[in-house]
Amino acid sequence: MIETDVLIIGSGIGGLSTAIKIAEARPDLSVTVLTKTIEGESNTRYAQGGVAAVWDVEVDSYTKHKEDTLDAGDGLCDEAIVDIVVSEGPARVQDIIDWGARFDKTKDASQYDLAREGGHSEKRILHYKDLTGWEMQRALMAKADALPNISIHEHYFAVDLITQHHLGMSVTRLMQHIQCFGTYALNKKNNVIETILARTTVVATGGTGQVYRATTNPVIATGDGISMAYRAKAWTENMEFVQFHPTSLYNPGGDNPVFLVSEAVRGFGAILKSKEGEEFMHKYDERKSLAPRDIVARAIDNEMKIRGEDCMYLDCRHINQEDFLAHFPTIYDKCKSIGIDPMQDMIPVAPACHYMCGGIKVDALGQTSIHQMYAVGECTSTGLHGANRLASNSLLEAMVFAQRIADDVLVKIDNWSIQKGIPDWNASGTTDPKEMVLITQSIKELKEIMSSYVGIVRSNVRLKRALDRLELLYRETEEIYNTTTISPQLCELRNLITIAYLITRSARLRRESRGLHYTTDYPEKAEFVQTNVI
């Protein structure tokens, strides 16, 4: 058994920023961070584009950033939350700069080289080449490792959040005072499920992209935190809003994750075209290739269906080669590795699952509906993104809410104690699985169901078919779970099925097309605004 003051599940920008803020303010508190692989592996690491913040106040303003965010969110953003993130964001970016993060500067090094991405009215994206997430993760890890009261446990897979349910009480979603006491976690080094108890728990487990066949998310993005929270009877919100990045690199050989061609490439002047070299975005939006992601993704998807093609193309051939190489060296090298020279060939692209805009419902302080439990980052629904996330707002959101969670924890933690009498994990009556193929094949089936029926364009028939098939997968998987010992693969399958169910059920509840959710049965936007809480 491990006891700690603060337990943080996840080591991306949300988790590590929260850990650092709490540990610096209170050196007497123990902060334990769990990661299911190694410390540096997270969705943060794969963020290419950058972090959006109002930096050049002579041309940009909080009002412009707010309006861009609200426009992308298609009427579903919480305006108060947008105000908070936009206004507090620059200070949080300065924090990570103070911790050692580097961002690209202009040639004379006098100021930051701000980029522009789809949906932004001004240049406000701070970036480090096309490896911004990697650079921010590097700085966070160096800072966290320098604080003696932060301990990072690698290869610990959180299995379930501990609540009164584990004390024998009946816990329902309507219960007012559910409390989180910590987590059961599988130590992957010795295959023992350990009990980790804390005065407060922060879920920072990142995204859900592996629920789809093609995703830009790393293989760890299996929605563990959202699924655990849902099982613990926390509220989830707006899970139907799955953002598909319009331009993943189309590689028939297949990559998991697929390689992301950053939105910043279009911000830099690249143009979407068909195989024949025809532009098509003017048919869908006056902003053409710089329209928000949902519009661009649907446009590419539609053109692919109309033309019977597997991809569309991004034309960068008119861009100065020296400038392209300076800004996008990783993208250039990846393209070259599969025989494409962006300076001579158009880059083949197709949409891929990229970001979950819904998640665990939290308030302005990052508190969930469960007491002593917070959530931060992509696993949350804060109200910032609404029906569609504005490019490069996610890293900003994570840092702003990390600070707000830390502030709230520091005020309250001395009134909280570690719960006694929590039983150890009970694995009696289970045996080792005889056939792992049952698990691996179910994961493949799940990805096919979601990609075919709950993708960029949906319909009532597709959603019903998805739910029917998910029900069968759920029953089969629960039977395996109840009779065999725990493995990371089995836990991830259970979690992915939960995520798939939440996305599909939320999609059926929304009888309109708004933002990232487009259904052929209800192609118009409703006159009223509603959030879907499950």
Side-chain angles (χ1 to χ4, degrees):
M1 181 182 291
I2 298 172
E3 292 189 358
T4 183
D5 293 313
V6 180
L7 171 64
I8 297 174
I9 306 172
S11 62
I13 190 169
L16 286 183
S17 295
T18 307
I20 291 165
K21 293 286 186 180
I22 294 171
E24 271 200 317
R26 287 281 300 272
D28 59 309
L29 293 177
S30 57
V31 181
T32 300
V33 180
L34 303 186
T35 174
K36 68 177 179 179
T37 55
I38 57 173
E39 180 185 354
E41 182 69 358
S42 68
N43 273 23
T44 302
R45 177 181 165 187
Y46 294 88
Q48 286 182 353
V51 55
V54 175
W55 214 252
D56 185 352
V57 292
E58 290 184 11
V59 296
D60 201 2
S61 67
Y62 293 153
T63 300
K64 288 180 181 178
H65 191 179
K66 176 182 175 180
E67 286 174 351
D68 291 344
T69 302
L70 293 174
D71 181 53
D74 206 7
L76 211 64
C77 299
D78 182 329
E79 203 165 328
I81 297 296
V82 178
D83 279 331
I84 286 168
V85 174
V86 167
S87 61
E88 296 179 11
R92 302 290 75 81
V93 175
Q94 187 60 54
D95 287 342
I96 202 165
I97 291 171
D98 294 342
W99 296 342
R102 302 162 294 179
F103 294 109
D104 290 345
K105 294 195 171 182
T106 52
K107 287 180 180 175
D108 64 3
S110 63
Q111 56 192 359
Y112 286 110
D113 175 37
L114 301 175
R116 182 182 171 196
E117 296 186 6
H120 289 272
S121 57
E122 299 290 349
K123 291 183 176 182
R124 63 169 72 99
I125 316 295
L126 289 97
H127 55 89
Y128 177 75
K129 301 182 174 24
D130 53 1
L131 291 167
T132 310
W134 176 89
E135 171 59 16
M136 294 174 80
Q137 185 78 28
R138 181 201 63 77
L140 286 163
M141 289 182 341
K143 179 68 175 176
D145 292 345
L147 292 167
N149 55 329
I150 295 178
S151 58
I152 295 175
H153 292 247
E154 296 183 329
H155 304 292
Y156 269 74
F157 190 112
V159 176
D160 263 327
L161 296 165
I162 300 171
T163 67
Q164 294 101 315
H165 165 77
H166 298 94
L167 295 172
M169 291 178 62
S170 177
V171 175
T172 70
R173 219 166 292 283
L174 295 177
M175 197 167 146
Q176 294 292 311
H177 295 287
I178 308 173
Q179 284 179 275
C180 181
F181 306 129
T183 188
Y184 291 114
L186 175 65
N187 182 342
K188 291 162 68 176
K189 293 173 184 172
N190 60 14
N191 276 338
V192 172
I193 293 183
E194 298 184 16
T195 306
I196 304 176
L197 301 179
R199 291 154 78 179
T200 186
T201 300
V202 183
V203 178
T205 48
T208 63
Q210 288 294 327
V211 78
Y212 287 94
R213 184 176 57 241
T215 178
T216 63
N217 288 195
V219 293
I220 60 167
T222 50
D224 305 325
I226 298 173
S227 300
M228 287 193 299
Y230 179 74
R231 287 197 296 272
K233 304 297 188 279
W235 295 356
T236 63
E237 181 177 61
N238 291 346
M239 289 288 292
E240 67 271 34
F241 295 115
V242 181
Q243 187 172 69
F244 286 79
H245 198 287
T247 55
S248 76
L249 179 63
Y250 175 70
N251 181 5
D255 291 324
N256 184 21
V258 295
F259 186 81
L260 175 66
V261 180
S262 170
E263 190 135 17
V265 177
R266 282 182 284 124
F268 208 68
I271 299 167
L272 285 162
K273 294 182 178 179
S274 68
K275 183 170 63 177
E276 294 75 25
E278 299 170 6
E279 292 185 41
F280 57 83
M281 277 307 302
H282 60 278
K283 296 189 289 184
Y284 300 92
D285 194 280
E286 61 185 15
R287 290 164 287 190
K288 300 180 182 176
S289 292
L290 281 173
R293 287 178 179 176
D294 59 323
I295 295 169
V296 179
R298 275 200 302 277
I300 294 173
D301 183 69
N302 194 47
E303 290 292 322
M304 284 162 53
K305 285 182 168 66
I306 290 170
R307 299 166 187 265
E309 302 285 354
D310 293 324
C311 62
M312 288 291 110
Y313 293 84
L314 202 53
D315 192 352
C316 308
R317 294 172 296 183
H318 56 286
I319 297 174
N320 177 276
Q321 182 167 351
E322 184 182 338
D323 290 342
F324 189 90
L325 281 168
H327 282 82
F328 310 113
T330 315
I331 294 170
Y332 183 81
D333 289 345
K334 175 65 178 180
C335 288
K336 290 283 280 187
S337 75
I338 61 170
I340 296 162
D341 183 347
M343 299 297 97
Q344 297 181 24
D345 311 309
M346 292 194 294
I347 302 172
V349 293
C353 175
H354 185 55
Y355 190 88
M356 169 54 74
C357 290
I360 305 165
K361 182 175 173 59
V362 296
D363 65 12
L365 298 173
Q367 296 176 120
T368 70
S369 57
I370 295 178
H371 292 270
Q372 290 161 246
M373 177 178 140
Y374 298 81
V376 64
E378 189 176 347
C379 67
T380 66
S381 175
T382 64
L384 174 68
H385 304 309
N388 179 29
R389 175 183 71 110
L390 180 65
S392 292
N393 263 358
S394 48
L395 296 174
L396 191 74
E397 175 195 46
M399 291 190 291
V400 167
F401 274 85
Q403 178 72 63
R404 295 177 77 82
I405 289 169
D407 291 343
D408 199 54
V409 166
L410 293 168
V411 169
K412 296 174 178 175
I413 194 163
D414 291 328
N415 297 318
W416 294 332
S417 58
I418 289 174
Q419 177 69 35
K420 303 300 180 185
I422 299 294
D424 289 335
W425 182 265
N426 181 7
S428 61
T430 60
T431 59
D432 290 339
K434 293 182 176 63
E435 295 187 72
M436 282 300 289
V437 69
L438 297 176
I439 295 170
T440 55
Q441 191 59 34
S442 289
I443 290 174
K444 289 179 186 173
E445 283 182 44
L446 178 75
K447 289 171 178 273
E448 290 297 327
I449 291 166
M450 293 302 290
S451 300
S452 299
Y453 302 135
V454 201
I456 295 173
V457 177
R458 300 159 179 176
S459 69
N460 287 344
V461 171
R462 293 181 199 177
L463 295 175
K464 183 183 184 306
R465 183 168 285 199
L467 281 174
D468 289 345
R469 280 151 179 73
L470 288 172
E471 172 68 24
L472 179 60
L473 269 180
Y474 169 77
R475 289 204 308 269
E476 291 173 348
T477 304
E478 287 304 292
E479 187 175 338
I480 297 172
Y481 180 79
N482 290 327
T483 56
T484 62
T485 51
I486 296 293
S487 68
Q489 296 92 334
L490 177 56
C491 289
E492 287 183 337
L493 171 59
R494 284 186 88 218
N495 292 340
L496 286 168
I497 290 171
T498 301
I499 295 298
Y501 165 76
L502 290 170
I503 293 171
T504 310
R505 186 176 165 204
S506 294
R508 285 198 79 182
L509 290 172
R510 188 165 294 279
R511 300 192 170 196
E512 63 166 346
S513 290
R514 182 187 294 270
L516 299 165
H517 174 73
Y518 185 84
T519 168
T520 56
D521 291 293
Y522 309 100
E524 303 302 320
K525 190 193 305 184
E527 293 181 5
F528 56 88
V529 174
Q530 72 168 42
T531 58
N532 286 333
V533 177
I534 296 178

